[in-house]
Amino acid sequence: MKSTSFNPTEDMKKTFNITEGMFKYANNQCLCPFCFGKFTPLTASFRIAEESVCSKMHYDALTPEEKTDALPYKEADDELYEDFWKKFPGSKPVDPDSRRVSRRPVMHMLLNNHLRGQFIPDKDDFPIGMTDGKGNRSEFRVCPRCHNKLPINFGKHPVKYIAIVGITSSGKTVYLSQFLKGLYNNLIDIGFVQVDGEDEAEEFCRLNPVKKGVRLPIGNVSDKLTFPIVITIKKDERAKSEIYTLVFYDIAGENCVNSDKMKRFGPFIVNADGIVMIVDPGQFPGLLETVGEGEDEAIKPSKVLQAMHRAFVAAKSKEGQFEVPFAVAISKSDKLNIYSEYRNYPSNMFQNIDYSKYTKKGFPYNDYLSITTEVERMLKKEREGEAFVTDVNNRFTKTAFFAFSALNVEPVEKKDEVSGNSYYILEEDPEMVRIEEAFNWLLYQLGILEKSEKGKSNGENQKSKKFLGIFGRNR
């Protein structure tokens, strides 16, 4: 969060119950996770409380005098909210329990109307709610620019935005579902805990289940915006340690290569603090000895990469390399263990990280050095892979290469008896392999995670030197 100018007057402090403790948040600039509009915690908006809303039916039954007082509380279409979701057809959230929350009027400290009341602070003086003109309490915080609901405590802590990008065949949605499922344990391994956001992660996993006997998710539909997933994490050993809010976006690569779609989806990429690009190994013809049906016709990773770079150039008004950390993660590494020359090689790609070998909790640096070198070398053995690696390194200054399996079992293709459409199902329990590694690297690059190295036993040193001697230099 960056500093911006906002100085409430003494009258404003008294009118809106702005405490001295609350004032420390007044100059924290936030970016809305939907429209990326700028605001501060004290200039966020609130929808009025449900019990204050005047329905159309009730309003129509009032006398002219009563209507004057009730008009500010009358439910109505929200133009700012509707205009945002018109850009993403079929994506607008369904109001829960038919309560039509998006039709509730919005109150804002800087709006000159009598809807507004006083701020309600939490124990840290962060403004989590506001009373409306009828004295009813509302904690329904929304962005003042697009009126989308803000995540709990959004703006209280530093926010980092992470874009997960990949074409339909890459397994991106399966990756994200499995990653979120294993996030609790991964955070413990690296010395963090999750303090907010469980509901959003669970909802994504519920809508995109990955388990034995259930159809695998088909991925997000082109043109559709997947709801941002917001999670708050903190260092587990210190009560007053730094807390971070992480916002994840599931972006279809198909929405990057079309110029019209890129105008709508581009902001989720160019405003990202880190990017993970999921790539199917079948996209590189020489990597596997067999290519899955349709993979040779899919959009090439290089085309998506070029489109993302053009978006950065347009947004930043400059050419050249960009400093946002960029991780390439090769999915379905279990296929490499079956259909490539690596099937007879004891590769790091097919083994999970042993965190117990590290001297402290943090970013497992030795494993990172081994895997990024190995994957980059593997890609460079293939003509299109070599061109892709060069392209990535030419467009971004901070890059790394990883490989993972979200399933580690082969999905079975079946046909729907009614529609005749194909789908995939697991007949074995899935197992995740190195699925967390790209995320850990981003946290390390963003200064959230500290480097950790393995114990300096002579055996480990010799093994490390031997490996790096085969696959490349230390970096």
Side-chain angles (χ1 to χ4, degrees):
M1 292 179 289
K2 300 178 181 178
S3 177
T4 187
S5 177
F6 179 75
N7 297 299
T9 64
E10 291 301 318
D11 284 343
M12 292 173 70
K13 291 180 183 180
K14 182 177 180 180
T15 301
F16 301 113
N17 187 33
I18 302 177
T19 65
E20 288 301 318
M22 194 182 298
F23 187 70
K24 65 186 177 185
Y25 300 105
N27 295 325
N28 285 348
Q29 180 175 288
C30 311
L31 290 180
C32 170
F34 293 90
C35 71
F36 297 99
K38 297 178 182 179
F39 64 96
T40 75
L42 294 187
T43 58
S45 299
F46 292 84
R47 293 200 183 275
I48 65 173
E50 183 179 2
E51 54 267 36
S52 298
V53 178
C54 179
S55 68
K56 183 179 183 303
M57 183 181 297
H58 179 70
Y59 181 81
D60 290 343
L62 298 176
T63 65
E65 293 77 12
E66 291 171 329
K67 285 183 178 180
T68 300
D69 292 333
L71 183 60
Y73 299 92
K74 179 187 175 185
E75 66 173 5
D77 288 335
D78 186 329
E79 290 187 10
L80 291 177
Y81 180 80
E82 296 298 332
D83 286 347
F84 175 84
W85 288 106
K86 280 178 183 176
K87 295 184 292 185
F88 307 100
S91 305
K92 187 173 77 170
V94 178
D95 279 346
D97 305 324
S98 300
R99 289 178 291 175
R100 298 181 294 186
V101 294
S102 63
R103 290 173 57 82
R104 294 185 202 168
V106 170
M107 53 184 172
H108 188 283
M109 186 177 71
L110 301 183
L111 290 178
N112 186 24
N113 62 42
H114 65 278
L115 286 178
R116 62 190 184 183
Q118 293 190 320
F119 281 119
I120 302 167
D122 66 6
K123 62 181 178 62
D124 300 315
D125 284 318
F126 183 78
I128 58 170
M130 178 179 274
T131 58
D132 59 33
K134 293 185 178 182
N136 293 317
R137 176 186 179 119
S138 172
E139 295 185 9
F140 201 111
R141 297 172 69 230
V142 297
C143 168
R145 296 178 180 269
C146 67
H147 290 181
N148 275 291
K149 185 179 181 181
L150 296 172
I152 185 171
N153 290 329
F154 190 82
K156 186 175 183 178
H157 313 293
V159 182
K160 301 296 182 183
Y161 304 85
I162 298 173
I164 313 295
V165 183
I167 61 171
T168 300
S169 68
S170 67
K172 166 180 53 63
T173 302
V174 172
Y175 159 81
L176 194 49
S177 180
Q178 289 288 80
F179 166 75
L180 292 171
K181 190 185 298 182
L183 182 60
Y184 177 84
N185 288 332
N186 176 54
L187 288 173
I188 291 176
D189 286 334
I190 60 176
F192 277 77
V193 292
Q194 185 174 333
V195 294
D196 279 325
E198 293 90 345
D199 292 344
E200 293 171 354
E202 287 178 3
E203 178 66 6
F204 185 91
C205 294
R206 185 188 68 81
L207 294 174
N208 301 280
V210 179
K211 55 185 177 180
K212 179 180 176 180
V214 176
R215 294 188 186 192
L216 285 175
I218 59 173
N220 51 342
V221 180
S222 176
D223 252 357
K224 189 172 182 179
L225 175 64
T226 302
F227 221 70
I229 301 165
V230 183
I231 292 167
T232 303
I233 64 173
K234 74 181 290 288
K235 198 92 169 182
D236 64 354
E237 71 238 17
R238 297 194 299 267
K240 294 185 178 294
S241 64
E242 191 71 76
I243 299 175
Y244 297 90
T245 297
L246 307 177
V247 183
F248 295 90
Y249 298 103
D250 180 4
I251 305 296
E254 291 83 350
N255 290 328
C256 298
V257 296
N258 178 288
S259 58
D260 177 61
K261 293 178 181 178
M262 196 56 169
K263 291 177 182 177
R264 291 175 282 144
F265 289 91
F268 300 101
I269 294 172
V270 299
N271 285 291
D273 294 293
I275 299 173
V276 178
M277 185 175 182
I278 309 295
V279 182
D280 188 325
Q283 289 283 283
F284 302 105
L287 202 58
L288 298 176
E289 294 172 359
T290 179
V291 177
E293 183 179 353
E295 288 174 349
D296 55 335
E297 300 174 359
I299 297 172
K300 297 296 183 183
S302 57
K303 192 172 183 180
V304 177
L305 176 67
Q306 292 160 12
M308 286 192 287
H309 187 262
R310 283 196 300 269
F312 274 102
V313 170
K316 310 296 182 182
S317 299
K318 69 171 187 176
E319 295 283 349
Q321 291 180 302
F322 292 95
E323 295 182 355
V324 57
F326 192 94
V328 174
I330 304 298
S331 63
K332 310 172 186 177
S333 63
D334 53 296
K335 283 190 174 184
L336 295 170
N337 203 11
I338 300 173
Y339 301 116
S340 78
E341 62 182 74
Y342 281 78
R343 62 180 176 269
N344 296 318
Y345 174 71
S347 169
N348 291 294
M349 289 186 288
F350 313 133
Q351 306 171 48
N352 275 312
I353 299 171
D354 185 351
Y355 291 90
S356 68
K357 292 184 177 180
Y358 284 82
T359 56
K360 63 179 182 179
K361 291 189 175 183
F363 176 59
Y365 191 69
N366 301 80
D367 274 85
Y368 152 69
L369 285 178
S370 296
I371 195 70
T372 192
T373 304
E374 183 177 355
V375 173
E376 187 172 346
R377 289 280 302 219
M378 176 186 70
L379 290 172
K380 285 182 176 179
K381 288 183 177 181
E382 197 270 340
R383 188 179 65 178
E384 288 190 25
E386 182 177 20
F388 178 68
V389 169
T390 301
D391 207 8
V392 169
N393 290 330
N394 284 340
R395 296 181 188 274
F396 295 92
T397 60
K398 301 174 183 177
T399 62
F401 298 84
F402 304 96
F404 72 91
S405 177
L407 304 176
N408 210 31
V409 295
E410 190 78 24
V412 177
E413 184 177 8
K414 295 182 178 292
K415 284 191 177 293
D416 188 285
E417 295 181 357
V418 178
S419 66
N421 295 328
S422 295
Y423 65 91
Y424 289 88
I425 195 168
L426 299 180
E427 295 184 344
E428 302 175 63
D429 290 321
E431 177 188 2
M432 295 173 271
V433 178
R434 301 186 87 104
I435 199 167
E436 77 281 14
E437 201 162 13
F439 167 74
N440 291 348
W441 178 77
L442 287 183
L443 293 189
Y444 172 62
Q445 290 294 321
L446 296 173
I448 297 174
L449 200 57
E450 296 177 356
K451 178 170 74 173
S452 179
E453 298 189 73
K454 290 182 178 180
K456 300 297 184 180
S457 70
N458 187 58
E460 287 293 332
N461 280 334
Q462 293 301 319
K463 183 178 179 181
S464 177
K465 290 178 182 177
K466 183 178 179 181
F467 181 88
L468 292 171
I470 297 173
F471 285 101
R473 62 183 176 84
N474 199 330
R475 51 166 116 181

